[in-house]
Amino acid sequence: MYLENIVIDALDAQQLGRFWEAVLGTERLTDEPGVYETRLAIDGEAYLDLCFPEVPAAPADPLRLHLDLLGGAGQAEVVDRLLGLGARHLDIGQGDVPWVVLADPEGNPFCVMEERAAYAGTGPIAALPLDSADPDRDAAFWSWLTGWVDAPGVAPRTLRHPSLRGPLLELCPEPAPKTAAKNRIHLDVRLERGEDADEAEARIAERGGSRVPPQWGELPWRTYTDPSGNEFCVLPAPQQ
């Protein structure tokens, strides 16, 4: 399996997708009613797709996964550019911190980060901080799930694509346990050719994950939660 998608639920898929495409300089893949997809290149053939499915209402619960954008020495200029694209300043109680908290056009918080050595070679997304009840346990789970490896960082545990390029996946101590509400932002992994979905499901369960029963009929993917309750999807293997 490999990490393929960052999925952000959207009230207006086109508006939100185009905002993030402009922010990140990604390549458009899909622009159809109810869904927008755009691709972030990482290294060689590696990539992450940002997917914006349209939903009737965004959950109100705090985000358990968000995007930290690369700011560095040009942080102020990056912030000004994002404000010009439609972002706004946001106070979530962060206080006096060296990063800048903004909201996208649908109110999803994200951060523009200060200079950090760990962000060398990340590209426009510096990190993907994910709430975790047990960062050591969840780092082992996500490393197995994605093939990402331990990397230097400021979180208790940090993973990164094996090329050591692209964003960091940061396992951060959760401020509160996961509720029943679905995460607004989640990750998808895809099966490699030859991998069996039932076998993958058994191995997910062995490592503390759980299957989420389908709520919208039969779908080509399966939904799970990690050991801390964070949703993710396992997509079928490529057909060719």
Side-chain angles (χ1 to χ4, degrees), residues 176-221:
K178 175 74 164 64
T179 69
K182 175 180 175 289
N183 287 358
R184 270 179 282 171
I185 303 178
H186 71 268
L187 302 174
D188 288 347
V189 299
R190 186 174 291 280
L191 295 171
E192 300 271 10
R193 291 185 182 88
E195 288 185 312
D196 179 75
D198 291 334
E199 181 180 342
E201 181 165 314
R203 296 177 70 188
I204 287 169
E206 289 171 0
R207 289 164 171 80
S210 300
R211 176 84 182 269
V212 176
Q215 300 177 25
W216 303 281
E218 289 301 316
L219 296 169
W221 59 83

Side-chain angles (χ1 to χ4, degrees), residues 69-229:
L69 303 189
L70 190 68
Q75 182 188 52
E77 290 78 10
V78 172
V79 169
D80 285 345
R81 185 177 75 85
L82 300 183
L83 293 174
L85 291 173
R88 59 181 173 84
H89 284 283
L90 187 65
D91 186 349
I92 56 173
Q94 66 268 24
D96 184 16
V97 294
W99 56 87
V100 178
V101 181
L102 301 177
D104 70 16
E106 293 196 359
N108 297 306
F110 65 96
C111 302
V112 180
M113 304 304 292
E114 75 282 8
E115 189 78 39
R116 292 184 182 180
Y119 295 157
T122 62
I125 302 178
L128 298 165
L130 178 65
D131 284 359
S132 169
D134 184 334
D136 286 333
R137 176 199 64 193
D138 291 349
F141 180 88
W142 281 97
S143 180
W144 166 78
L145 190 69
T146 63
W148 286 25
V149 299
D150 282 302
V154 298
R157 293 293 300 275
T158 299
L159 302 176
R160 200 170 187 182
H161 187 270
S163 66
L164 298 183
R165 308 288 294 179
L168 313 178
L169 179 59
E170 298 179 337
L171 284 305
C172 303
E174 61 184 17
K178 175 74 164 64
T179 69
K182 175 180 175 289
N183 287 358
R184 270 179 282 171
I185 303 178
H186 71 268
L187 302 174
D188 288 347
V189 299
R190 186 174 291 280
L191 295 171
E192 300 271 10
R193 291 185 182 88
E195 288 185 312
D196 179 75
D198 291 334
E199 181 180 342
E201 181 165 314
R203 296 177 70 188
I204 287 169
E206 289 171 0
R207 289 164 171 80
S210 300
R211 176 84 182 269
V212 176
Q215 300 177 25
W216 303 281
E218 289 301 316
L219 296 169
W221 59 83
R222 300 183 186 185
T223 303
Y224 301 88
T225 57
D226 73 5
S228 290

